[in-house]
Amino acid sequence: MFYVKTLEHEIVLEPIHFGPKLRATIVNLLKEEVEGLALANYGYVVNVIEVPENQIKSGIIEYDSGNVVFKVKYTALLLRPFINEVLDATVSQCNPLGFFAFVGPLRIFVSKHSMPEDMTNGFNNESDSWVSDDKEVVISSGCGVRLKIKGRTVEQGNITAIGTIKDNYLGLFDDGSGDTGEL
Amino acid sequence: MSARGGKFFRPGKFLRSEHHDDVESSEEEDDSEDEEKPQTKNASANLSSDDDDDELEDEDDDDDDDVAETNSSKRKATSAEGGTKKRPKTSAFFDEEAEASGSEDDDDDGEAYGTHHDPDDVVRKHYTDEDIRREQLDDEARELIKQQDRRRQQAGQFGSGEKSVAQMARDIEERHKMQRRMVPTSHLDRVEEEGPVEANYSAVSQQSLVPSVSDPSLWMVSCLPGKEQDLIYQVMNKCTAFARRGQPLGITSAVASSTKGKVYVESYSEPAVLEAIQGVRGLLQYSMTLVPINDMTTVMTVTPKKKPVKINEWVRMTRGHYKGDLALVKAVRESGLKCVIQCVPRLDLTLSDLPPEEARIRRRTVRPPQKFFNTAELAALGKHPVRQRFPGMDFCDYFEGNYFEDGYMIKEVTVGSMIKPCTDEDPPTLDELQRFRRRQKGRGDNQDDDDGDENEGSKMAASLLDELSELQGKTGLAKTTPGGGLIIGDTIEVIEGDLVGMRGKLVSLDSNGSTVKVKPTNNSVDLGDTTEVEFLTSQVRKYIPVGVHVKVTDGRYANETGVVVAVEPLEGESDCTAVVLTDVTHKEISVRTSQLRESAEVASGQDKLAGYELHDLVVLSGGGSANETGVIVRVGREDFTVINNHGIVREVRPEELRGKRNQSSNRAVALDVQGNQIRCGDSVNVAEGPHKGKTATIKRMSRSQLFLYSQTRTEHAGIFVVRSRSCVLAGNKSQNRGGAGDGGVSPFATPRSQSGGAGPVGGRGKRDDALIGKTVRIQAGQWKGYLGAVSDATATHVQVELHSRLKKVMVVRERVAVVGDKFGATEDTSRNAPAANAAANTTEDTS
């Protein structure tokens, strides 16, 4: 789920950056440091929306290095997977154990155990795709699937999730050819 | 020893007289000095000892058959002597008892008597030893001993005052518990039937029984093989005869143990042994050798009878490539000396194609993997086995001197040297049995899984396998810690009772593990104010939801970590099976939820074998080509799966690995298709080849081969092999992409093409930063041939900091050639030239 939240971040600046463009530097640096990062409790920072410059407080000089620490408040667009959340994802890779799908930066693994019964044995080695027993559904890389998040793992700066397509209204909705059949 | 000995050795009359005829009298004096006991007692003791001897001889005749008996009888003789001699000292009471018992049948003796003999062994032990010492003893020393004795008597450990027989017996027992070393001999004598006193002896106390320097030495004497026991009887008779004559031999025992053609004589002094064996025909006196103390136990070790191999028994091979392999006995030949075994062959089919010299080396060094014999496979190689009758059995395939039946090798081997039976300590393992079992499916799909067709040995393996796995399943269940592996803090689910389905955190566990306290977490049930609910452990189970990261705590996959991808309830069981996708090896494993614990840790279960770990860069031996390297992609129980530098996966044993190269891999630098430096840990995109389009991290590198690791790949633990020139460094690390206006020429190609004079010079108006830091060789001018690092560069010149001189020189760009990067890593320029040009071309195309 995407949401906007105001967060705080500490920026350490070397004295070389002090000058008329200080605030701009801070904003740039903040974006560089924070965007794309996964914060354990908030999810991926997709975009830094706004850094109110009046909110940048005066920094504190570190006595041993001369660097200055600024505490910066910013509003960011966050992507956080919630358990049981339903998402549309793009399949990136299929392997005999399941497939990987991406929602923006978030990687979701769907195991073959989390696929409908008619697909669990349907891995096609030649085309690297998951095929249902009646050959109607073919999930290969590039497809769009609707899946439900069942669990997530938070690592340092990274979040991965486990999803399922074994439920009503879940599964393939875009075969990657461009025309969306269902939607 | 002597402190205690002072009390016991006194009566050693016989032995002493052996050396000194006149000691008899002095000994009498000695006794009279030592003891306050009446002299008459002593005399009577001596008399009774004679009686003892007579009787003992009779008894000896009775049980002449057994060697062990012989020894014990001999001991009896000496001990009896000692015993009677010793008595005066202990108490008047014992003396009378001794005389009385002396006339009784020995076997009827009560415990008190039996135990009474033991200290006499102690006495005997000091005989000769003391003997020698006493020869030199002067009156002064004797006086000292006397004093000590008196003191001890007053202290009254025993002996002073009239104690009850039971008390006495206890005392003695106490005492020889301390002198354990002597106990076994006494047991040989009498206590044997009476009760397991030795049951008290633990392994530690057993250790204290091991002979030391203070014990009699052992001499080995050769004799005619087969005559050992007879000769021992002779020695024994001689011993008793001499004892009766009043000149006992100074030996403490003589044994014929299981060794053929050797007898052993135990004594404190060598001359005593010499005397004992002198004149005994058949004993080769000159061959007498002292047995080192360390070897003394081996002499007496009873080797368990060799279990004969039987049909359908599991054995292990002991020689050659097959060493340690499991085999099944099919037939026993030559009354158990040889047997026919069935085992999984280890054939090396490549051998016959190699030149003899290489084949010989390979045969010695490479252990072929276990693989069932397959005629079709051989036919494909142009080899055809012959049908031939195995001696005494049915027709088999005959190939290169071996017989094969149903894929197994049939071989006649000698028992003992070629095979040994599987002992209880070393039973066939599940793994081995699985390998031994030949699955019918392997033969071809058209063949049904028909039991009747399955090889008998395979069936045996299968049945044992079932048995074992059943057993393991049971123990696996029984082994789970009380409460199904519940730990405080676990999330649990109620599976029984009114609150079925409720989940909560485990707050506390009962000490005996029968009840648990749970703090509910989901508010589906209104519990009022109660914050903790108590359940029986049987009512709850560990709750492992799909998607959590877990660690396996128990069982086969212990210490693996991964993500739960599915949870399936087990029929008839309280806990579920969870399918876990492992972190490192990317495979699915099925584990009981009771064996799982939520954890953020990342590890792989079995990741070490013989010092090698998963993803190690290793040097492989064998396989013909030297310097074959590979990366370990699976660590098995006893072998590895390795992907080598050509991307070929094979199984190797730890012996075949020749060390790790992780360090050099971490130091190594390679160049990608654009000439960027790439090293371990960098992320690259594969630009060409079968893996085109993939993005992966460099795990290891060996020369120009990169072992890339991708988290999304499941096969080979995510490792695949790509040439460094087929990759492009990913991310913003690449220095040269979109370099303004210089045509995207790789920094590497630049100076070369210029020095060659053929490259396009145009478009290079700018300072080429990429050259800075590179190691260059100056090609013309005053500094021709010098190596240096480029410290600065202008459009026309470069400043080179010479390696060999403390100097910076300006050189025209055209006159330097890059020979390496700033780390000094050198590249084979001749090889790089075309590649670099190609790279230049490709980048030119894209720009």
Side-chain angles (χ1 to χ4, degrees):
Chain A
M1 190 170 124
F2 292 97
Y3 60 104
V4 175
K5 195 169 167 65
T6 306
L7 298 168
E8 204 178 60
H9 187 72
E10 278 187 5
I11 297 275
V12 181
L13 270 190
E14 287 177 23
I16 194 172
H17 300 293
F18 302 162
K21 284 185 182 173
L22 177 66
R23 280 167 203 278
T25 316
I26 289 172
V27 172
N28 280 337
L29 220 61
L30 174 77
K31 285 195 174 184
E32 209 169 276
E33 279 185 21
V34 152
E35 279 183 7
L37 198 72
L39 307 170
N41 295 326
Y42 305 110
Y44 280 100
V45 178
V46 177
N47 187 21
V48 174
I49 297 170
E50 195 188 7
V51 186
E53 294 209 354
N54 55 349
Q55 292 268 350
I56 300 173
K57 303 219 180 76
S58 46
I60 296 160
I61 300 173
E62 284 186 342
Y63 66 90
D64 53 351
S65 63
N67 293 344
V68 175
V69 179
F70 292 93
K71 281 195 171 172
V72 187
K73 275 200 172 139
Y74 62 98
T75 43
L77 179 66
L78 299 165
L79 167 68
R80 186 193 169 179
F82 288 90
I83 306 252
N84 289 332
E85 181 189 0
V86 175
L87 283 169
D88 291 350
T90 312
V91 176
S92 73
Q93 198 194 12
C94 293
N95 66 41
L97 300 179
F99 63 83
F100 289 93
F102 277 88
V103 178
L106 174 69
R107 196 184 75 199
I108 303 162
F109 178 70
V110 178
S111 157
K112 65 177 180 188
H113 299 277
S114 311
M115 293 183 196
E117 269 84 10
D118 67 336
M119 285 189 80
T120 41
N121 294 318
F123 184 68
N124 186 333
N125 248 321
E126 284 113 55
S127 58
D128 266 4
S129 56
W130 285 90
V131 186
S132 66
D133 287 349
D134 54 8
K135 317 274 188 230
E136 285 270 301
V137 183
V138 178
I139 296 177
S140 55
S141 67
C143 291
V145 285
R146 184 158 297 158
L147 47 82
K148 191 196 233 176
I149 306 262
K150 292 305 284 183
R152 58 183 178 180
T153 319
V154 181
E155 292 155 24
Q156 179 73 44
N158 194 22
I159 298 176
T160 53
I162 298 289
T164 178
I165 53 168
K166 191 169 144 183
D167 211 340
N168 294 336
Y169 308 109
L170 298 183
L172 186 79
F173 67 85
D174 174 10
D175 57 8
S177 58
D179 52 303
T180 51
E182 287 171 39
L183 294 176
Chain B
M1 168 190 91
S2 58
R4 186 162 279 281
K7 200 194 290 181
F8 305 123
F9 50 64
R10 204 159 296 98
K13 182 169 90 181
F14 289 159
L15 286 172
R16 253 170 269 144
S17 58
E18 171 195 341
H19 295 283
H20 290 271
D21 287 344
D22 61 332
V23 177
E24 183 85 84
S25 56
S26 74
E27 140 79 15
E28 293 287 0
E29 280 168 30
D30 189 13
D31 270 359
S32 63
E33 273 171 20
D34 279 9
E35 305 286 333
E36 282 90 5
K37 300 281 179 274
Q39 200 83 36
T40 46
K41 290 281 177 198
N42 237 338
S44 74
N46 285 344
L47 275 171
S48 74
S49 85
D50 281 349
D51 289 347
D52 272 3
D53 283 349
D54 284 339
E55 206 170 316
L56 280 157
E57 241 173 25
D58 293 346
E59 199 187 295
D60 289 341
D61 292 336
D62 289 341
D63 34 30
D64 264 356
D65 301 329
D66 201 331
V67 191
E69 273 293 321
T70 326
N71 298 331
S72 61
S73 309
K74 227 173 56 59
R75 284 222 173 77
K76 248 181 259 170
T78 35
S79 61
E81 287 159 24
T84 43
K85 307 254 61 188
K86 189 189 149 288
R87 267 161 215 147
K89 191 204 68 193
T90 50
S91 77
F93 177 71
F94 254 99
D95 252 2
E96 279 151 25
E97 196 72 1
E99 275 174 288
S101 66
S103 58
E104 281 169 19
D105 193 325
D106 281 357
D107 293 331
D108 293 340
D109 287 342
E111 163 113 48
Y113 189 79
T115 46
H116 191 178
H117 267 264
D118 302 332
D120 298 337
D121 273 338
V122 179
V123 171
R124 188 171 46 90
K125 169 188 165 188
H126 297 287
Y127 267 12
T128 39
D129 187 33
E130 200 49 42
D131 212 358
I132 299 152
R133 262 182 54 194
R134 203 166 276 208
E135 277 172 23
Q136 289 113 23
L137 263 192
D138 50 20
D139 289 344
E140 211 178 21
R142 256 174 241 166
E143 191 61 35
L144 208 68
I145 292 171
K146 213 163 67 181
Q147 263 180 9
Q148 281 177 352
D149 274 344
R150 231 175 266 132
R151 205 181 312 136
R152 208 168 289 130
Q153 266 183 343
Q154 272 157 17
Q157 195 193 16
F158 81 117
S160 64
E162 296 283 51
K163 286 184 183 170
S164 73
V165 184
Q167 177 70 38
M168 194 71 76
R170 222 179 5 259
D171 280 348
I172 293 164
E173 217 167 312
E174 274 299 308
R175 191 184 52 193
H176 70 225
K177 259 181 199 163
M178 292 180 214
Q179 293 246 332
R180 251 173 243 142
R181 200 172 287 136
M182 307 313 283
V183 170
T185 53
S186 69
H187 277 300
L188 284 175
D189 290 353
R190 305 249 165 111
V191 190
E192 215 163 46
E193 303 97 345
E194 287 179 8
V197 181
E198 72 252 69
N200 298 332
Y201 298 112
S202 62
V204 175
S205 56
Q206 278 288 318
Q207 198 55 46
S208 72
L209 299 178
V210 169
S212 69
V213 275
S214 57
D215 292 299
S217 314
L218 199 62
W219 275 270
M220 180 175 75
V221 187
S222 299
C223 66
L224 292 174
K227 290 275 187 193
E228 300 91 357
Q229 301 197 0
D230 288 347
L231 290 167
I232 289 297
Y233 289 134
Q234 284 188 35
V235 173
M236 181 189 68
N237 286 334
K238 184 180 176 183
C239 193
T240 43
F242 270 66
R244 284 177 74 185
R245 252 197 271 156
Q247 320 167 314
L249 298 167
I251 61 167
T252 49
S253 74
V255 193
S257 70
S258 50
T259 334
K260 280 199 183 87
K262 304 274 182 222
V263 296
Y264 296 89
V265 182
E266 188 188 34
S267 173
Y268 281 104
S269 74
E270 192 173 352
V273 182
L274 273 171
E275 197 187 343
I277 60 171
Q278 201 158 40
V280 181
R281 276 178 70 111
L283 279 180
L284 309 172
Q285 197 180 346
Y286 59 87
S287 66
M288 193 175 96
T289 41
L290 181 69
V291 178
I293 287 178
N294 299 336
D295 298 348
M296 276 163 80
T297 42
T298 358
V299 171
M300 295 300 175
T301 308
V302 183
T303 44
K305 247 191 180 164
K306 266 199 187 139
K307 226 175 76 188
V309 285
K310 287 196 283 264
I311 289 183
N312 287 344
E313 253 185 358
W314 294 105
V315 292
R316 257 174 224 292
M317 316 283 277
T318 52
R319 292 272 176 93
H321 286 326
Y322 290 89
K323 190 174 179 179
D325 278 7
L326 196 65
L328 187 69
V329 179
K330 290 211 41 152
V332 179
R333 300 254 172 100
E334 293 180 26
S335 64
L337 284 175
K338 287 189 171 179
C339 64
V340 179
I341 53 119
Q342 164 185 7
C343 65
V344 186
R346 287 180 184 275
L347 283 182
D348 198 338
L349 298 174
T350 58
L351 273 182
S352 53
D353 300 333
L354 291 169
E357 187 64 16
E358 255 180 67
R360 217 193 51 208
I361 292 165
R362 187 176 161 83
R363 194 175 287 125
R364 241 194 352 246
T365 51
V366 181
R367 187 189 196 191
Q370 279 192 328
K371 199 175 169 200
F372 286 107
F373 183 77
N374 193 337
T375 28
E377 199 179 315
L378 278 178
L381 285 166
K383 292 170 188 158
H384 295 281
V386 194
R387 292 295 284 181
Q388 201 170 327
R389 185 184 284 277
F390 186 81
M393 290 172 95
D394 275 343
F395 271 102
C396 303
D397 291 318
Y398 180 79
F399 178 69
E400 286 186 350
N402 286 315
Y403 294 87
F404 299 93
E405 186 188 30
D406 290 338
Y408 292 97
M409 187 170 83
I410 310 290
K411 202 174 174 61
E412 192 178 80
V413 293
T414 28
V415 177
S417 63
M418 287 288 282
I419 55 157
K420 61 174 200 294
C422 285
T423 52
D424 288 342
E425 299 93 60
D426 187 24
T429 63
L430 272 177
D431 203 35
E432 284 174 321
L433 287 168
Q434 247 150 11
R435 266 181 285 154
F436 195 86
R437 187 183 178 190
R438 174 134 213 223
R439 292 188 194 282
Q440 288 306 115
K441 274 182 186 167
R443 285 194 191 177
D445 293 335
N446 54 348
Q447 213 158 358
D448 279 342
D449 217 334
D450 186 10
D451 270 8
D453 201 32
E454 196 175 355
N455 185 289
E456 238 171 84
S458 177
K459 267 192 276 182
M460 290 265 313
S463 67
L464 188 59
L465 204 58
D466 289 345
E467 222 171 274
L468 271 177
S469 48
E470 203 172 291
L471 200 71
Q472 203 176 45
K474 273 184 200 147
T475 50
L477 277 183
K479 232 170 63 184
T480 46
T481 45
L486 289 174
I487 304 164
I488 290 173
D490 276 352
T491 313
I492 58 97
E493 187 178 23
V494 183
I495 51 167
E496 205 182 84
D498 295 338
L499 293 164
V500 156
M502 192 194 84
R503 284 180 205 141
K505 271 237 145 57
L506 192 66
V507 179
S508 72
L509 257 169
D510 203 6
S511 57
N512 54 17
S514 61
T515 56
V516 291
K517 275 186 182 157
V518 174
K519 189 176 179 185
T521 46
N522 60 342
N523 300 327
S524 56
V525 199
D526 184 25
L527 295 168
D529 293 338
T530 43
T531 51
E532 283 179 16
V533 196
E534 205 165 309
F535 293 100
L536 290 172
T537 32
S538 60
Q539 288 180 311
V540 298
R541 72 162 174 229
K542 201 181 271 188
Y543 175 67
I544 299 280
V546 172
V548 294
H549 195 262
V550 291
K551 181 178 182 176
V552 185
T553 56
D554 202 3
R556 210 175 129 203
Y557 298 107
N559 296 329
E560 288 267 14
T561 61
V563 181
V564 178
V565 291
V567 180
E568 289 148 6
L570 264 181
E571 250 175 75
E573 299 283 348
S574 62
D575 55 350
C576 307
T577 313
V579 180
V580 177
L581 181 73
T582 56
D583 287 321
V584 184
T585 46
H586 300 303
K587 59 181 189 218
E588 282 185 349
I589 56 172
S590 287
V591 195
R592 280 166 183 272
T593 49
S594 59
Q595 295 176 339
L596 292 177
R597 188 158 50 80
E598 282 190 46
S599 157
E601 197 181 327
V602 175
S604 72
Q606 223 173 24
D607 54 358
K608 241 185 193 171
L609 177 64
Y612 296 102
E613 291 176 43
L614 193 73
H615 293 163
D616 271 352
L617 181 69
V618 290
V619 180
L620 300 163
S621 71
S625 70
N627 293 331
E628 187 188 5
T629 54
V631 166
I632 296 175
V633 292
R634 184 190 65 93
V635 181
R637 214 173 267 276
E638 50 190 18
D639 57 353
F640 303 102
T641 307
V642 170
I643 184 164
N644 72 2
N645 46 6
H646 305 298
I648 298 159
V649 178
R650 63 183 177 110
E651 309 232 319
V652 295
R653 305 199 137 256
E655 306 90 79
E656 292 175 55
L657 300 183
R658 290 219 211 104
K660 295 192 247 194
R661 289 290 180 273
N662 290 350
Q663 289 302 316
S664 58
S665 160
N666 289 341
R667 279 195 304 265
V669 182
L671 296 175
D672 70 356
V673 73
Q674 296 178 340
N676 297 312
Q677 288 178 8
I678 46 177
R679 46 191 84 232
C680 281
D682 284 349
S683 181
V684 292
N685 294 315
V686 184
E688 55 188 42
H691 298 288
K692 186 176 179 177
K694 286 179 180 135
T695 305
T697 320
I698 303 174
K699 193 80 188 176
R700 303 273 179 235
M701 43 210 292
S702 162
R703 306 207 169 187
S704 62
Q705 301 292 340
L706 308 182
F707 293 92
L708 303 180
Y709 173 77
S710 166
Q711 245 190 335
T712 55
R713 287 173 65 88
T714 54
E715 62 267 36
H716 310 144
I719 298 275
F720 59 100
V721 185
V722 171
R723 268 184 61 86
S724 67
R725 288 290 188 179
S726 316
C727 295
V728 184
L729 185 66
N732 52 4
K733 271 192 166 181
S734 61
Q735 317 122 325
N736 211 31
R737 251 173 290 165
D742 65 346
V745 178
S746 104
F748 201 86
T750 309
R752 268 201 63 77
S753 53
Q754 286 186 345
S755 65
V761 190
R764 182 178 329 283
K766 287 192 186 155
R767 188 181 132 122
D768 191 359
D769 285 335
L771 207 53
I772 293 174
K774 293 267 155 81
T775 300
V776 294
R777 187 190 298 279
I778 300 169
Q779 297 198 310
Q782 188 190 355
W783 300 104
K784 182 179 177 181
Y786 279 78
L787 276 175
V790 178
S791 60
D792 199 8
T794 65
T796 53
H797 287 77
V798 287
Q799 190 179 33
V800 180
E801 193 177 349
L802 298 178
H803 284 334
S804 52
R805 300 276 177 91
L806 194 64
K807 194 171 175 114
K808 285 182 180 176
V809 289
M810 289 296 282
V811 187
V812 185
R813 259 180 183 281
E814 286 78 44
R815 288 185 177 171
V816 295
V818 179
V819 291
D821 56 29
K822 67 178 165 189
F823 302 99
T826 48
E827 290 279 327
D828 187 356
T829 42
S830 64
R831 199 192 53 184
N832 284 330
N837 287 333
N841 291 337
T842 49
T843 40
E844 232 161 16
D845 289 345
T846 52
S847 58

